[in-house]
Amino acid sequence: SRSAMDHQPKFFENLSGAGKAIGVLTSGGDAQGMNAAVRAVVRMGIYVNAKVYFVYEGYQGMVDGGDNIVEVSWESVSSILQMGGTVIGSARCQSFRTREGRLQAAFNLVQRKITNLCVIGGDGSLTGANLFREEWSGLLEELAKTGKIDAEAVKKYSYLNIVGMVGSIDNDFCGTDMTIGTDSALHRIIEVVDAIMTTAQSHQRTFVLEVMGRHCGYLALVSALACGADWVFIPEYPPEEGWEDSMCVKLSENRARKKRLNIIIVAEGAIDCHNKPITSEKVKDLVVQRLGFDTRVTILGHVQRGGTPSAFDRILASRMGVEAVLALLEATPDTPACVVSLSGNQAVRLPLMECVQMTQEVQKAMDEGRFLEAVRLRGRSFENNLNTYKLLSHKRPDAELPKTNFNVAVLNVGAPAAGMNAAVRAAVRVGMTEGHKIFAVIDGFEGFARGKIKEITWGDVGGWTGQGGSILGTKRTLPAKYLEKIAEQMRTNSINALMVIGGFEAYLGLLELSAAREKYEEFCVPMVMVPATVSNNVPGSDFSIGADTALNTITDTCDRIKQSASGTKRRVFIIETMGGYCGYLANMGALAAGADAAYIFEEQFDIRELQANVEHLTEKMKTSIQRGLVLRNENCNENYTTDFIYQLYSEEGKGVFDCRKNVLGHMQQGGAPSPFDRNFGTKISAKAMQWISRKLQETYRKGKVFANTDDSVCLLGMRRRNLVFQPVAELKNETDFVHRIPKEQWWLKLRPLMKILAKYKTSYDVSDSGQLEHVAMLPKEAETGAI
């Protein structure tokens, strides 16, 4: 990005909201995570000394005025982080569509000196906000003419700033990788699919699941990818003529292969290539008539909008809410209305109308039957999902597959992480499609040395996406002491490439194997690593498979503990999380659970800091929020142990609050993988296998594979906005080997967020935000790590 020389770092403490008033409203359909966004806007607004107002019931409340527009305090948004829906209500509003309605709304806002609006809703709500902004000065002049406001007010409140956040479970808004609520909706869908799979298997049934998405197939597509559905119908990519036959052939083939269940996912807006609807009933009747399979339809309906927001949505919404307030503080009469959004892993601001226009373009392309164009306009992430789904769901007949005569071994290394099995499944299926033979190694490098290795095929990995832990078995053992034996196994089974799915040990293992290349020619083959560990401590990647599932486990547990603490009043819980020396889980868990503090190794703390935290909690107990939550990473400090902190808090809090402690332990490694981890594991692993194929072709000379350069041992990681292959040798400089963490970690930038939302004074470097970008039509070959 920009060089440090051009820009003095920009700190948010220099931005003041004094004298400004911000109104926040939620509009359109509700989505999980809207409350987290409302909470972040309110707290950040108050933090910078602005006044913040709730506008109840969306635009309807803005038109009705009165006690629908109320100033709020810090405590007003306490305890809403874990609630689904929106606590300030949302309504479809007819009157705001008329000029009279907007005139009334403008009057109500000016009376309260509100000239900054933060709108959380879908594209309709945001378009309405933009129109309101364009009409604003005209509306004020009209109000002055009729004597409702004076000429002074027209000058003083001459322009309206608008910042939008997209809250919509459909993920149908262009320019944003993820809209608030999408991840939570996927959680609901996957919970249902996992539950249905057990009953479907018992009875050899076919299930047709209808998911939401009138105009956008994102939920259907990603849930199909995450549960390995047999067939998916989405509006952007209608099936070809004669799909009825090919679907039935596919279903009966699967039955013949002893697959006991079939799952078909239908988006509610699914169509065929003549723009005629494909309904779940129609699909069911077809299967029953043609194949006679016992078939059931389940329509998920509003379940998808309900329930508690996932950790991802809470963090996304909190980041966006803070960013929205920054955007309002920096807005001038000339800045267009913008939306704050995430691209890959980075917060960005985009002109609202550009996003809306592009979103409408998709619909237009679909109406006109330009379906390839529609998929492309949806963005890289969508296109990526579709291509991966197509690769993994349909097995081509053996006769059609290329034969490369290459053997690729796949193994899991390190501690179990949810999503490892999804990664193995993708590797096996993509590998077979590319024409290789795939061998599964049982129990990591140790099993490899003992010869626990067998060929694994397409059908063997069916149903693996939803399984937690590691089916292949995984060990922390490093290869160094088994080099001789592993080389021998590679020779015996003529293994031409290695794919290692695992955590920090996997990274160390690849370093050891590449160092051993001089001695053992067997290791002169392409090797790739896919990061999978709950700790998220692998250099070269912002995320690792399994961390999202662990984060959800921590968040769920903290929610329950907060409930217990609220009931007993004046109680503080100290919760210990995993992560080794990496504070990712503790820090992000604290952000997602609304904790008061998180102690991590990366940010040294001393007794004065502990003292300050106790005093902070003592002050908090005087307000209406009488509970505290403190997270501690297991290795944040060898002397300030969880017991020590618990005892210190107990002693210092005497008479004000009492204390309890809770060590979360290994439950953080278990559980069914979250949609994010299934999807991330599937996509990153498919990409790694394609890299192996390319490297095998490049390094195949005179009848054998020989690879001994640094760039033939890589780690595939997600970096900001892209998936990148990085030679492990180059990552050495970025690694703190003593503490097994990367030297620089992106999420430390989010650390001040947690402190701000917990009411601590802190410094926050916001140099990264503030550049208004444009919605780019992306070149074909670019590919994000967006999931």
Side-chain angles (χ1 to χ4, degrees):
S1 23
R2 291 161 286 143
S3 72
M5 299 302 287
D6 312 342
H7 280 72
Q8 285 306 307
K10 182 172 69 178
F11 289 98
F12 97 116
E13 30 304 17
N14 307 333
L15 295 169
S16 164
K20 292 192 176 183
I22 300 172
V24 56
L25 71 146
T26 52
S27 169
D30 68 315
Q32 308 95 320
M34 279 184 166
N35 288 327
V38 168
R39 170 180 178 266
V41 170
V42 169
R43 293 199 163 171
M44 183 69 170
I46 292 173
Y47 196 98
V48 296
N49 293 321
K51 283 185 168 183
V52 185
Y53 291 81
F54 275 169
V55 179
Y56 285 103
E57 310 307 335
Y59 288 119
Q60 192 64 55
M62 203 193 290
V63 175
D64 295 345
D67 52 11
N68 284 305
I69 306 178
V70 204
E71 190 180 347
V72 286
S73 68
W74 190 272
E75 279 103 64
S76 307
V77 291
S78 165
S79 302
I80 68 170
L81 183 63
Q82 60 268 36
M83 290 162 74
T86 160
V87 293
I88 56 178
S90 175
R92 309 261 178 214
C93 174
Q94 285 309 315
S95 48
F96 193 74
R97 297 181 177 210
T98 65
R99 184 157 170 105
E100 292 70 57
R102 293 192 290 274
L103 197 62
Q104 189 53 45
F107 175 66
N108 292 332
L109 292 183
V110 168
Q111 276 196 308
R112 294 168 179 78
K113 307 183 170 62
I114 301 173
T115 55
N116 296 284
L117 276 187
C118 181
V119 183
I120 307 162
D123 58 348
S125 317
L126 298 180
T127 312
N130 191 58
L131 176 65
F132 191 39
R133 178 178 173 276
E134 284 170 357
E135 289 183 352
W136 180 259
S137 53
L139 292 171
L140 292 199
E141 278 161 20
E142 195 173 323
L143 287 170
K145 269 199 195 107
T146 53
K148 284 205 164 172
I149 59 173
D150 54 28
E152 188 54 36
V154 180
K155 274 219 291 281
K156 196 169 175 191
Y157 307 118
S158 59
Y159 67 98
L160 177 70
N161 295 318
I162 300 254
V163 172
M165 282 184 259
V166 189
S168 146
I169 64 167
D170 294 344
N171 202 19
D172 56 358
F173 196 76
C174 292
T176 64
D177 277 345
M178 286 293 263
T179 57
I180 296 169
T182 305
D183 187 64
S184 303
L186 287 171
H187 272 261
R188 294 302 93 79
I189 296 170
I190 293 302
E191 283 155 19
V192 171
V193 174
D194 285 355
I196 278 178
M197 277 190 161
T198 55
T199 161
Q201 273 181 322
S202 313
H203 295 280
Q204 296 209 23
R205 283 205 170 117
T206 296
F207 268 87
V208 180
L209 257 84
E210 183 180 305
V211 301
M212 280 186 165
R214 264 193 316 257
H215 307 294
C216 177
Y218 185 89
L219 290 177
L221 178 57
V222 175
S223 47
L225 195 55
C227 72
D230 297 273
W231 201 274
V232 64
F233 292 98
I234 57 173
E236 292 87 346
Y237 189 76
E240 290 162 8
E241 286 279 12
W243 59 269
E244 295 88 346
D245 300 332
S246 35
M247 182 180 84
C248 290
V249 167
K250 166 101 198 288
L251 295 179
S252 43
E253 270 177 9
N254 279 349
R255 279 291 158 94
R257 277 204 225 111
K258 301 280 189 290
K259 185 175 177 188
R260 292 181 61 92
L261 83 162
N262 303 110
I263 292 214
I264 300 166
I265 294 182
V266 184
E268 59 179 336
I271 46 175
D272 63 18
C273 50
H274 305 298
N275 256 322
K276 297 271 182 302
I278 297 179
T279 62
S280 38
E281 277 304 323
K282 181 177 169 180
V283 175
K284 174 197 159 172
D285 295 342
L286 186 76
V287 177
V288 173
Q289 283 160 13
R290 299 240 184 143
L291 302 169
F293 289 173
D294 184 358
T295 308
R296 296 283 189 275
V297 173
T298 301
I299 295 174
L300 264 62
H302 282 75
V303 166
Q304 295 162 83
R305 284 207 178 154
T308 178
S310 64
F312 182 95
D313 271 332
R314 296 182 196 193
I315 291 165
L316 173 71
S318 301
R319 285 177 74 176
M320 282 189 183
V322 167
E323 185 71 24
V325 174
L326 290 176
L328 285 171
L329 291 182
E330 295 183 307
T332 67
D334 308 325
T335 42
C338 73
V339 284
V340 290
S341 129
L342 264 203
S343 170
N345 191 19
Q346 206 177 350
V348 292
R349 295 180 197 171
L350 302 160
L352 188 145
M353 285 322 285
E354 283 186 24
C355 298
V356 170
Q357 275 150 6
M358 188 141 148
T359 306
Q360 289 164 349
E361 283 293 313
V362 180
Q363 191 54 50
K364 210 170 122 205
M366 280 164 22
D367 294 341
E368 294 169 8
R370 292 179 288 123
F371 295 110
L372 284 172
E373 183 68 5
V375 168
R376 210 166 66 94
L377 287 166
R378 275 269 180 250
R380 299 185 278 192
S381 161
F382 190 90
E383 204 171 353
N384 224 346
N385 281 321
L386 186 59
N387 293 336
T388 312
Y389 176 76
K390 289 194 291 200
L391 258 183
L392 296 173
S393 61
H394 300 274
K395 180 180 192 296
R396 303 204 337 242
D398 291 344
E400 283 181 30
L401 289 174
K403 280 279 175 285
T404 60
N405 295 326
F406 289 133
N407 296 339
V408 181
V410 178
L411 65 160
N412 291 163
V413 176
M420 278 182 161
N421 302 321
V424 172
R425 168 183 175 267
V428 170
R429 292 194 167 179
V430 174
M432 285 183 70
T433 308
E434 307 260 318
H436 315 314
K437 258 191 188 173
I438 309 295
F439 287 80
V441 177
I442 313 298
D443 297 338
F445 287 120
E446 199 173 306
F448 209 164
R450 294 206 185 128
K452 290 183 169 177
I453 178 170
K454 58 171 200 281
E455 192 182 343
I456 185 169
T457 61
W458 190 278
D460 298 334
V461 291
W464 278 30
T465 47
Q467 305 286 324
S470 161
I471 297 174
L472 292 185
T474 180
K475 283 261 192 289
R476 289 174 174 268
T477 327
L478 291 170
K481 55 179 179 185
Y482 298 115
L483 289 172
E484 184 85 33
K485 286 185 171 155
I486 293 175
E488 188 186 322
Q489 286 300 328
M490 288 187 64
R491 198 163 54 246
T492 316
N493 296 286
S494 39
I495 300 296
N496 308 106
L498 270 192
M499 176 154 163
V500 186
I501 300 163
F504 203 84
E505 287 86 359
Y507 165 65
L508 293 175
L510 283 193
L511 285 171
E512 290 180 359
L513 290 177
S514 63
R517 278 174 160 181
E518 291 173 29
K519 197 170 172 197
Y520 302 98
E521 202 177 297
E522 289 81 359
F523 301 139
C524 295
V525 295
M527 304 186 208
V528 69
M529 167 181 169
V530 169
T533 161
V534 298
S535 306
N536 197 19
N537 62 334
V538 178
S541 191
D542 289 357
F543 294 115
S544 61
I545 300 166
D548 183 69
T549 304
L551 205 49
N552 276 297
T553 304
I554 293 169
T555 310
D556 288 347
T557 312
C558 287
D559 284 353
R560 292 180 187 196
I561 287 172
K562 268 169 81 170
Q563 254 173 353
S564 147
S566 300
T568 32
K569 296 278 183 296
R570 298 175 177 267
R571 180 162 283 180
V572 173
F573 272 89
I574 290 150
I575 296 174
E576 181 186 303
T577 68
M578 284 186 151
Y581 283 96
C582 175
Y584 179 81
L585 289 178
N587 187 67
M588 299 310 254
L591 190 54
D596 295 285
Y599 298 118
I600 60 173
F601 168 76
E602 291 89 346
E603 193 173 284
Q604 292 297 304
F605 58 97
D606 56 20
I607 197 77
R608 285 181 291 279
E609 184 123 356
L610 291 169
Q611 174 91 34
N613 290 146
V614 172
E615 283 163 12
H616 192 264
L617 282 166
T618 309
E619 281 307 303
K620 185 177 173 181
M621 295 297 161
K622 294 176 186 166
T623 70
S624 56
I625 321 173
Q626 300 187 344
R627 50 143 213 278
L629 189 64
V630 174
L631 271 64
R632 176 187 175 274
N633 157 273
E634 55 185 353
N635 289 349
C636 63
N637 186 306
E638 56 178 330
N639 295 315
Y640 297 148
T641 58
T642 301
D643 285 332
F644 175 90
I645 292 178
Y646 162 68
Q647 286 163 346
L648 176 87
Y649 272 61
S650 297
E651 180 60 36
E652 295 292 317
K654 262 191 191 152
V656 184
F657 57 80
D658 64 358
C659 244
R660 292 288 183 274
K661 64 171 194 254
N662 205 326
V663 176
L664 297 183
H666 280 75
M667 63 187 275
Q668 293 164 87
Q669 281 180 5
S674 66
F676 182 93
D677 281 330
R678 298 180 190 200
N679 197 350
F680 184 52
T682 299
K683 274 162 67 168
I684 195 169
S685 166
K687 201 167 159 67
M689 186 56 80
Q690 289 166 331
W691 176 89
I692 283 181
S693 299
R694 283 199 306 277
K695 282 290 173 215
L696 283 169
Q697 281 161 356
E698 284 170 23
T699 55
Y700 185 69
R701 293 282 173 278
K702 298 185 183 149
K704 61 178 289 193
V705 171
F706 184 79
N708 66 347
T709 52
D710 280 350
D711 67 0
S712 60
V713 189
C714 279
L715 179 149
L716 173 57
M718 180 174 159
R719 282 272 168 109
R720 286 178 95 143
R721 301 188 189 187
N722 298 300
L723 286 171
V724 232
F725 288 95
Q726 305 144 95
V728 289
E730 286 174 17
L731 290 172
K732 272 191 195 166
N733 300 333
E734 296 179 22
T735 312
D736 168 353
F737 285 100
V738 180
H739 300 105
R740 304 160 53 95
I741 52 174
K743 288 180 186 166
E744 281 189 20
Q745 302 185 81
W746 67 273
W747 53 265
L748 282 168
K749 276 198 171 145
L750 299 188
R751 190 140 165 89
L753 276 196
M754 189 209 91
K755 295 183 179 174
I756 289 166
L757 296 174
K759 217 175 186 174
Y760 282 93
K761 283 281 170 258
T762 180
S763 175
Y764 181 27
D765 180 351
V766 291
S767 316
D768 260 6
S769 51
Q771 275 8 68
L772 193 68
E773 303 189 9
H774 290 286
V775 184
M777 255 318 301
L778 306 151
K780 280 309 266 188
E781 62 282 358
E783 189 172 333
T784 59
I787 302 308

